[in-house]
Amino acid sequence: RNHLHAAGHVCVLKDAFMYESPTEIANLTSTDKFDAALAIHLYKGGRLLQGGRIPFGIIFGGTDVNEDIKCEEKRRVMGAVLGEARFAVAFTMKMKELAAAEWPDARKKIYVQTQGIKTTPSETFDWYRFLQNADIPTDTGSLYMFLLICGLRRVKDPLYLVDVFSDWHRKDPSVHLGIIGPAVDPLFTSEVKEKVKRAPGVHLLQEMPQDDLHAAMKRCFAVVNSSISEGMSAAILEAMDLDVPVLARNIPGNAAIVKHKETGLLFSHPQEFVMLSKSLMNDPIMEREIVTRAKDYVKKHHSWESERKAYQNLVLRL
């Protein structure tokens, strides 16, 4: 939205979950005299723009091309949406190829644009209050805080590491895992709360403003991603930008941005996560090398300025 505002457009952000049908969006766009639309997620956002009177573009979310494509009805809808869209944006070449293999006619309108990253850690963030609020002791000598940042929904699999982490914490009380993010799926969120309650060393943390979150990330030992499926994780890229090591589940979306033992660590099962975490804790030289290469990678491939230019040019196609 900032990119479009900067180019002089008026940009209104709406949550797709607030709308049931394309008719509601058609009413909204005609009442408020919108000229164009940009939808995030080919199914969730895109289906609401079908057959509308305004031109639109699509940004793939990740789960649309990776997961929703497996459902016949969703695949049919997504194909129709892509047919109508003026352009589509994929975060990675792999994502573009997956979509183009399914809908070959759309290949020419799919652009690859990685996510641009800009981190803004707060200067006034109180790390000790943050730990106290999470019931993490602040008076111990060493503390290794791992942070898992995700919306609480099944595809993000925040419970994947809970048992193994809790076992590890029992043996080594200096390690803690914080899970932080919005309660996207209320039913699943209560499941997460119940599980975490019974898992020493694992904490469900209060959501916080982005600049505070960036400041908290900076103070953590590592940022973790345990998703089943991922488009391109902004949290991973932000951690890289903030000089924080990343431990990510070895899935295509993560492996596209994390090179194992070069810009981060990739794990394929919970026990491997613990093993890799320990090796990172015991090898500060490896940690420093990974962090340095990750920062260089983000600077080179995830420039916020390049992303701004790309979206400003794409919107002119509408």
Side-chain angles (χ1 to χ4, degrees):
R1 181 159 78 167
N2 289 340
H3 297 333
L4 302 183
H5 280 167
H9 304 291
V10 175
C11 184
V12 178
L13 208 53
K14 294 286 184 186
D15 184 347
F17 288 112
M18 289 164 54
Y19 300 92
E20 292 288 318
S21 70
T23 314
E24 289 176 62
I25 291 290
N27 292 340
L28 171 78
T29 56
S30 57
T31 309
D32 290 349
K33 304 280 188 293
F34 284 99
D35 300 306
L38 188 57
I40 299 172
H41 202 284
L42 189 51
Y43 182 75
K44 286 178 196 148
R47 70 191 172 87
L48 297 168
L49 296 171
Q50 266 188 290
R53 58 162 201 92
I54 58 170
F56 66 87
I58 290 288
I59 301 168
F60 295 145
T63 49
D64 41 12
V65 180
N66 291 328
E67 301 297 320
D68 292 343
I69 211 163
K70 297 168 190 168
C71 163
E72 188 55 52
E73 170 58 16
K74 286 182 180 177
R75 194 168 73 212
R76 186 190 61 71
V77 171
M78 292 193 294
V81 170
L82 201 48
E84 280 184 50
R86 294 275 176 96
F87 64 81
V89 178
F91 293 143
T92 61
M93 198 61 202
K94 183 152 188 161
M95 210 187 285
K96 171 176 176 162
E97 289 307 328
L98 278 172
E102 191 59 49
W103 302 290
D105 293 350
R107 178 182 283 277
K108 282 197 174 72
K109 65 166 84 165
I110 304 172
Y111 298 82
V112 176
Q113 174 57 49
T114 57
Q115 281 194 76
I117 289 301
K118 191 181 193 183
T119 54
T120 52
S122 158
E123 298 288 323
T124 55
F125 176 71
D126 189 334
W127 173 242
Y128 292 98
R129 180 171 294 166
F130 170 77
L131 294 176
Q132 280 167 342
N133 289 343
D135 287 328
I136 295 169
T138 53
D139 50 3
T140 53
S142 59
L143 169 69
Y144 293 94
M145 184 72 188
F146 293 76
L147 203 56
L148 173 57
I149 302 156
C150 67
L152 299 182
R153 53 198 177 110
R154 288 189 194 282
V155 74
K156 297 293 181 182
D157 211 1
L159 297 176
Y160 184 62
L161 299 169
V162 167
D163 288 335
V164 75
F165 202 99
S166 216
D167 288 345
W168 182 23
H169 172 80
R170 285 186 186 98
K171 296 180 192 114
D172 178 359
S174 72
V175 297
H176 289 263
L177 174 65
I179 301 170
I180 188 164
V184 181
D185 174 342
L187 197 66
F188 181 60
T189 299
S190 55
E191 206 178 297
V192 172
K193 281 180 179 164
E194 277 310 303
K195 177 93 175 171
V196 167
K197 244 188 238 167
R198 299 189 301 276
V202 182
H203 315 265
L204 194 55
L205 309 173
Q206 283 293 308
E207 241 193 299
M208 53 171 80
Q210 193 172 37
D211 50 354
D212 282 347
L213 181 60
H214 287 163
M217 286 163 81
K218 247 179 118 62
R219 297 295 303 265
C220 284
F221 175 69
V223 165
V224 181
N225 178 295
S226 58
S227 298
I228 293 165
S229 171
E230 195 71 71
M232 180 173 283
S233 164
I236 287 179
L237 296 172
E238 286 165 356
M240 289 174 161
D241 193 50
L242 292 163
D243 299 313
V244 181
V246 170
L247 288 133
R249 195 165 173 174
N250 194 356
I251 54 169
N254 289 345
I257 54 176
V258 177
K259 278 215 162 35
H260 186 54
K261 292 194 174 170
E262 278 189 39
T263 56
L265 297 170
L266 294 169
F267 59 89
S268 299
H269 52 80
Q271 290 72 20
E272 190 181 13
F273 163 80
V274 174
M275 190 186 77
L276 289 169
S277 298
K278 286 177 179 172
S279 71
L280 195 63
M281 286 158 65
N282 296 325
D283 192 344
I285 292 168
M286 174 175 82
E287 182 199 353
R288 204 161 47 244
E289 285 173 351
I290 281 176
V291 159
T292 305
R293 282 192 294 257
K295 176 95 168 189
D296 289 345
Y297 164 77
V298 168
K299 266 198 192 131
K300 196 169 167 188
H301 298 283
H302 297 275
S303 146
W304 192 73
E305 288 80 8
S306 306
E307 184 189 54
R308 169 162 286 197
K309 247 183 249 147
Y311 281 105
Q312 288 176 349
N313 288 334
L314 282 169
V315 164
L316 298 178
R317 294 171 178 270
L318 298 174

